Amino acid sequence: MKKILIALLLITGAQGQANAQFLKKLGNAIEKASKTIDDVADAVLGDNNSNSNSNKKERMIGKAYKIGETKISQYGRKDSGIKITNVSATRVYGHKNVILNFQLYNSTEYSYDIIMGFFETGGGCMLVDDNGNQYTHGWTDLGEGGEVFNLYDCQKNAKILDDTKLNCRLLIADVPSKVVRFKRAELPIAYITKNQTFHDNCTFKLENIPITLLPSLKADGVHGEGAVLLGDSIKAIPQSIHMMYDRYNVTDYPDKNIKMFTFFKDGETMFKALSYDNETIAMIFLDTPKVPFKVGDSFYLVNKHIKDEDIKFCTKKDDGNLVFKDQLIKMVDDPKNYGDMIGQVFIGKLPNRDI
């Protein structure tokens, strides 16, 4: 366009040598102005020259959208065809780490190998809280679904087939308990086709990610988005507590003088409690691997082993069971794994009988 303009000016202005210097200066001015306009257009719209990937600039892809309270937008050189279709952040009560759960959907006809995570050299995932503190360390789990307490890879590769969804998690390390949401997050992803013919990257930018508390057992009760504590009046127990339980029932255990409360979430048993006077909660116990509890600096679930470095914080009883901060941890032999595993965990006053 700029060359045509210059040519026209030269043709219409060819009046002789007197105008030569003027036309040269005018041509240089138009050249500089054209370059400036090109640079602005590239910055706003992105360079659409398909022959030069290296010159393309990142731009927003499509429109921003919301999932719950979280706003999501995607940036890149071109539309990856990958979308985030589910997102949430959770923290086990008392835990120093936060889990960011999200789902990637590949809407394209290609199968991608993807790479994402936390990178020591920078350029990886980053989350920011309301005070501007940045979190750039943690672990990544792409589609494997391990325990939230044992993620270990800082960056991860995974395959996402065409028209499929991939469940992903990031464990964000050392987030203070006072942080109840992330103000924003950046999740860069590199994606590569199976035959390596196409390689590019995109960045998902998220705004306003609330952190939900998952329940854990402490010496005085179960804590989370609410609490069920030793000494609570059974008449005041809420019908449900978000992320802790959605219903409970009451049965005789095993004689009619003891009432057992069983708390369920999504049809599965979370924890149980006993009342000896039909007025207050006297004991709470775990017998399913749904609610974690702390030993030393680590969290554990029923049916798992306690690490040797954490057993040293416990008092070992003559019957082989352990006590840590008023938590009685009953151990059971597991010959398949050649060691003792956690069978049940109790807090509060035990009845005068084996449970």
Side-chain angles (χ1 to χ4, degrees):
M1 179 67 178
K2 57 197 175 190
K3 291 181 180 178
I4 294 172
L5 286 170
I6 293 170
L8 289 172
L9 285 166
L10 287 172
I11 292 170
T12 58
Q15 302 295 328
Q17 291 296 323
N19 294 326
Q21 290 300 322
F22 169 77
L23 292 173
K24 182 179 180 180
K25 291 180 180 179
L26 183 59
N28 289 339
I30 294 173
E31 189 82 27
K32 291 175 68 175
S34 176
K35 186 177 185 303
T36 301
I37 292 170
D38 287 346
D39 289 342
V40 172
D42 284 353
V44 175
L45 301 176
D47 185 354
N48 292 322
N49 183 358
S50 60
N51 295 323
S52 179
N53 262 350
S54 61
N55 291 329
K56 292 182 179 179
K57 294 180 174 61
E58 192 177 72
R59 61 189 175 89
M60 184 172 172
I61 304 296
K63 296 181 179 180
Y65 56 97
K66 293 189 73 173
I67 297 178
E69 300 178 42
T70 304
K71 180 181 177 182
I72 302 172
S73 53
Q74 182 183 168
Y75 288 77
R77 298 183 179 96
K78 63 188 299 183
D79 189 353
S80 66
I82 302 173
K83 305 293 182 186
I84 288 181
T85 57
N86 195 9
V87 63
S88 64
T90 58
R91 181 208 296 271
V92 171
Y93 185 93
H95 207 294
K96 62 182 180 180
N97 300 330
V98 172
I99 301 291
L100 179 66
N101 308 278
F102 58 100
Q103 190 177 66
L104 295 177
Y105 170 57
N106 178 10
S107 64
T108 74
E109 59 186 273
Y110 305 103
S111 293
Y112 287 138
D113 290 317
I114 61 173
I115 306 169
M116 76 173 305
F118 296 95
F119 301 93
E120 295 297 331
T121 55
C125 298
M126 179 183 71
L127 297 96
V128 181
D129 66 22
D130 284 325
N131 292 319
N133 299 310
Q134 296 184 5
Y135 303 90
T136 57
H137 292 83
W139 295 264
T140 313
D141 180 24
L142 302 180
E144 295 187 0
E147 290 181 16
V148 297
F149 316 115
N150 295 313
L151 304 179
Y152 54 87
D153 286 340
C154 292
Q155 61 191 64
K156 213 64 174 288
N157 296 48
K159 183 177 292 295
I160 180 169
L161 303 178
D162 58 295
D163 196 29
T164 60
K165 295 180 179 180
L166 185 70
N167 293 321
C168 308
R169 297 184 299 173
L170 296 180
L171 184 152
I172 302 99
D174 299 322
V175 182
S177 58
K178 63 182 179 181
V179 177
V180 297
R181 74 159 193 157
F182 293 114
K183 184 176 181 179
R184 61 186 178 88
E186 295 185 6
L187 310 179
I189 298 176
Y191 53 97
I192 310 166
T193 55
K194 184 178 181 181
N195 59 5
Q196 305 290 305
T197 57
F198 176 71
H199 176 201
D200 212 328
N201 56 66
C202 67
T203 299
F204 289 100
K205 297 185 179 183
L206 287 65
E207 300 176 30
N208 185 31
I209 312 167
I211 300 172
T212 300
L213 291 176
L214 300 179
S216 69
L217 181 73
K218 295 175 66 68
D220 62 343
V222 180
H223 295 258
E225 292 286 311
V228 176
L229 305 177
L230 297 174
D232 277 355
S233 167
I234 62 175
K235 294 181 180 179
I237 297 175
Q239 290 299 311
S240 65
I241 296 178
H242 181 56
M243 302 302 291
M244 183 182 293
Y245 63 89
D246 50 32
R247 68 180 182 90
Y248 67 87
N249 65 17
V250 184
T251 57
D252 293 334
Y253 183 86
D255 59 55
K256 296 181 179 179
N257 294 323
I258 298 178
K259 298 296 182 182
M260 183 170 75
F261 295 75
T262 304
F263 298 84
F264 301 92
K265 184 178 182 298
D266 299 327
E268 298 186 282
T269 300
M270 300 294 287
F271 61 97
K272 297 175 181 177
L274 297 184
S275 174
Y276 306 142
D277 59 7
N278 203 26
E279 293 184 3
T280 58
I281 297 294
M283 188 189 72
I284 298 173
F285 65 101
L286 310 175
D287 60 3
T288 62
K290 294 298 178 183
V291 176
F293 64 98
K294 196 173 186 181
V295 177
D297 288 328
S298 303
F299 281 81
Y300 291 94
L301 294 167
V302 167
N303 296 342
K304 299 298 179 182
H305 298 276
I306 298 179
K307 296 179 289 189
D308 291 339
E309 57 263 38
D310 289 324
I311 288 180
K312 69 182 180 183
F313 296 112
C314 301
T315 300
K316 194 165 187 176
K317 298 172 68 69
D318 292 339
D319 56 9
N321 296 321
L322 306 174
V323 175
F324 176 75
K325 290 187 176 180
D326 296 327
Q327 298 174 134
L328 173 62
I329 306 168
K330 285 198 171 184
M331 308 298 291
V332 296
D333 184 53
D334 180 30
K336 293 181 181 179
N337 290 292
Y338 305 101
D340 290 337
M341 297 181 68
I342 302 163
Q344 295 172 307
V345 183
F346 303 86
I347 60 169
K349 182 180 177 182
L350 295 173
N352 295 323
R353 57 171 58 85
D354 292 331
I355 295 182

